[in-house]
Amino acid sequence: LAGDLARRGITVISGLAAGIDTAAHEGALDANGRTVAVFGTGIRRVYPGANKPLARRVAERGACISQFLPAQTGERWTFPVRNIVTSGLSLGTIVIEAGSTSGARRQADEALRHGKRLYLLDRLVMGQDWARALTDQPGVIVVSTVEQLVDDLDYELSVPSMSMLV
């Protein structure tokens, strides 16, 4: 999904965490697209450590950013703050998979609080009660294809007061 979006010129913003975040950054980079990693630590502390090479690749093709002091370690409170920043930088949030207590779920809540679009994959909505409960809220769009997502983003980007990024 990130690769398809990056090929369409959409900047992918994610949190550099293991799993979906890593896949999003790698997908964007493999598609020769732009990606931004928002750290849940200071900029000198890549977390998880295994993603240091990925952080270097992201910095070459996009940006690595943090709102924390450079040496800040990852704490229980820093990662939810990262989700607020990620949402604030983005036009919308796409949730691929997320349990009811996950960071991606918190990211979804932040997107709605910020008045941003929230895209939920149809299989997520079918499998998670929390996602199903959000589907009737304004700004929540259930998608099953990249084309559906891009069509909605194209509309959003055509509105003059909107900024770009996903």
Side-chain angles (χ1 to χ4, degrees):
L1 180 62
D4 285 344
L5 293 171
R7 277 188 283 284
R8 288 172 165 89
I10 296 170
T11 300
V12 174
I13 301 174
S14 201
L16 200 72
I20 291 291
D21 288 358
T22 296
H25 293 301
E26 288 176 342
L29 292 168
D30 291 347
N32 294 316
R34 290 180 314 268
T35 186
V36 175
V38 181
F39 287 18
T41 62
I43 203 75
R44 292 188 188 143
R45 302 238 184 207
V46 176
Y47 181 84
N51 276 354
K52 283 182 184 180
L54 177 58
R56 283 188 206 97
R57 287 181 61 210
V58 168
E60 290 170 1
R61 298 288 306 275
C64 291
I65 63 172
S66 174
Q67 76 176 66
F68 302 110
L69 293 173
Q72 172 69 49
T73 58
E75 305 289 338
R76 228 175 147 73
W77 63 271
T78 61
F79 297 101
V81 170
R82 175 205 48 207
N83 292 344
I84 295 168
V85 172
T86 303
S87 172
L89 290 171
S90 304
L91 176 62
T93 291
I94 306 164
V95 183
I96 306 295
E97 62 182 33
S100 61
T101 60
S102 69
R105 164 66 198 275
R106 285 190 214 119
Q107 174 78 25
D109 291 339
E110 293 303 333
L112 293 176
R113 267 195 277 285
H114 286 141
K116 308 290 181 103
R117 292 278 205 220
L118 174 60
Y119 301 95
L120 302 173
L121 253 54
D122 59 350
R123 69 174 186 250
L124 174 72
V125 170
M126 290 186 291
Q128 292 287 329
D129 291 338
W130 71 265
R132 197 169 22 266
L134 292 179
T135 59
D136 61 353
Q137 290 195 28
V140 177
I141 300 168
V142 179
V143 296
S144 57
T145 66
V146 173
E147 287 73 27
Q148 288 175 310
L149 183 92
V150 170
D151 286 347
D152 190 73
L153 285 172
D154 283 343
Y155 171 77
E156 284 294 309
L157 292 172
S158 70
V159 178
S161 64
M162 293 291 178
S163 61
M164 187 174 119
L165 296 184
V166 100

